[in-house]
């Protein structure tokens, strides 16, 4: 089956620094990837849609200058949290969209736990 | 707009009990429907899916049937195990290229 990896799985950083999270589709190409944020005991909140070779589409209320997304190849999208603050601490999950016959499916990465101190 | 509503958790069951987690949706047209499972500290795994009315998705003993007349996609399992303890998310994609819309998640805890 389709596998999506994320790196790192956990990261702790100091307030004011930037953190980059990678999302890779390991055995398929994904022109579209998605970035989600999940707070404890809550559902996933879509942050942005990442399209290979073009600018990401951000959901309402998500700061594009704060959460930089780059989708430079068909198998890699990165999310950079710039000037991180404690309120950015969260579980970040990516997914990659794959074509399955007539339909699309999304395959999710294992998530990255970000803690900002 | 399109939305998904799940029954509130947490749901606590004894091992071998019957499980139902209700899911209803609001959408125009014919969305594809999904159940995802999230084990503690992990990302989401696709559990099962159905792409058209009356389809039944099944996997690992879990089943859900796409009911257009009741706009529902309830998750069922005849005999749960402790290892089924997780958070379950119902979701839909309204069109083929669209975004996944998630329900709020239902936490399941199975006690031995």
């Amino acid at each position: 089956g389709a596998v999506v990896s994320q790196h790192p799985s956990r990261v702790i950083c100091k307030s004011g620094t930037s953190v980059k999270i990678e999302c890779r589709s390991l055995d398929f190409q994904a022109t579209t990837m998605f970035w989600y944020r999940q707070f404890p005991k809550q559902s996933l909140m879509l942050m942005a849609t990442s399209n290979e070779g073009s600018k990401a589409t951000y959901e309402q209320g998500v700061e594009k200058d704060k959460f930089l997304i780059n989708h430079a190849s068909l198998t890699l999208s990165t999310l950079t949290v710039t000037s991180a603050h404690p309120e950015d601490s969260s579980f970040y999950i990516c997914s990659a969209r794959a074509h399955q016959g007539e339909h699309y499916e999304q395959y999710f990465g294992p998530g990255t736990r970000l803690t900002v101190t | 707009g399109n939305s998904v509503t799940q029954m509130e958790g947490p749901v606590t069951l004894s091992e071998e009990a019957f499980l139902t987690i209700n899911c209803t949706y609001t959408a125009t047209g014919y969305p594809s429907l999904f159940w995802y499972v999230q084990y503690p500290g992990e990302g989401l795994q696709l559990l099962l899916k159905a792409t058209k009315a009356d389809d039944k998705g099944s996997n690992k003993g879990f089943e859900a049937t796409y009911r257009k007349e009741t706009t529902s996609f309830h998750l069922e399992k005849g005999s749960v195990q402790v290892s089924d303890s997780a958070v379950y998310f119902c979701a839909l994609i309204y069109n083929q290229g669209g975004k996944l819309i998630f329900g709020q998640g239902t936490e399941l805890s199975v006690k031995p």
Side-chain angles (χ1 to χ4, degrees):
Chain A
V3 179
V4 175
S5 70
Q6 278 184 245
H7 179 77
S9 57
R10 291 179 177 271
V11 58
I12 301 173
C13 70
K14 292 188 176 180
S15 189
T17 61
S18 295
V19 174
K20 180 185 283 188
I21 302 169
E22 294 185 349
C23 177
R24 293 181 186 273
S25 56
L26 297 185
D27 49 2
F28 66 101
Q29 293 183 332
T31 55
T32 303
M33 292 184 174
F34 301 89
W35 286 96
Y36 297 84
R37 184 173 181 178
Q38 186 180 32
F39 293 102
K41 304 286 188 182
Q42 294 188 27
S43 189
L44 280 71
M45 181 192 79
L46 179 64
M47 299 174 65
T49 302
S50 170
N51 299 298
E52 188 266 338
S54 64
K55 291 184 179 180
T57 303
Y58 290 82
E59 296 298 302
Q60 191 172 7
V62 178
E63 298 176 61
K64 62 180 180 180
D65 295 330
K66 171 78 172 175
F67 298 100
L68 299 179
I69 290 172
N70 183 280
H71 194 156
S73 78
L74 288 172
T75 59
L76 173 64
S77 175
T78 60
L79 168 68
T80 301
V81 183
T82 62
S83 187
H85 291 285
E87 57 265 30
D88 298 324
S89 299
S90 192
F91 194 51
Y92 292 88
I93 303 176
C94 74
S95 70
R97 191 171 71 188
H99 213 163
Q100 295 290 334
E102 297 179 350
H103 303 278
Y104 286 102
E105 274 191 36
Q106 283 190 32
Y107 296 92
F108 286 81
T112 297
R113 174 77 58 194
L114 170 63
T115 303
V116 184
T117 61
Chain B
N2 304 315
S3 66
V4 177
T5 303
Q6 291 179 234
M7 65 187 283
E8 285 194 25
V11 173
T12 302
L13 296 173
S14 297
E15 208 165 20
E16 299 184 3
F18 183 85
L19 168 72
T20 300
I21 300 178
N22 290 339
C23 171
T24 57
Y25 66 91
T26 301
T28 53
Y30 303 96
S32 294
L33 302 174
F34 303 83
W35 276 101
Y36 286 89
V37 58
Q38 184 178 33
Y39 297 101
E42 298 184 12
L44 271 67
Q45 300 176 29
L46 177 64
L47 182 59
L48 53 85
K49 66 178 180 180
T51 56
K52 60 183 188 295
D54 299 325
D55 267 2
K56 178 187 282 188
S58 61
N59 185 27
K60 299 180 181 179
F62 291 90
E63 292 184 341
T65 301
Y66 189 146
R67 302 283 188 201
K68 188 173 183 299
E69 63 276 13
T70 54
T71 61
S72 66
F73 193 54
H74 304 321
L75 182 68
E76 295 181 338
K77 186 174 185 181
S79 175
V80 293
Q81 305 299 314
V82 173
S83 56
D84 294 326
S85 298
V87 180
Y88 292 81
F89 292 94
C90 186
L92 69 81
I93 288 181
Y94 173 53
N95 58 46
Q96 292 183 12
K99 307 168 193 175
L100 267 173
I101 296 172
F102 285 96
Q104 68 270 39
T106 302
E107 183 179 0
L108 170 66
S109 177
V110 180
K111 306 296 185 186

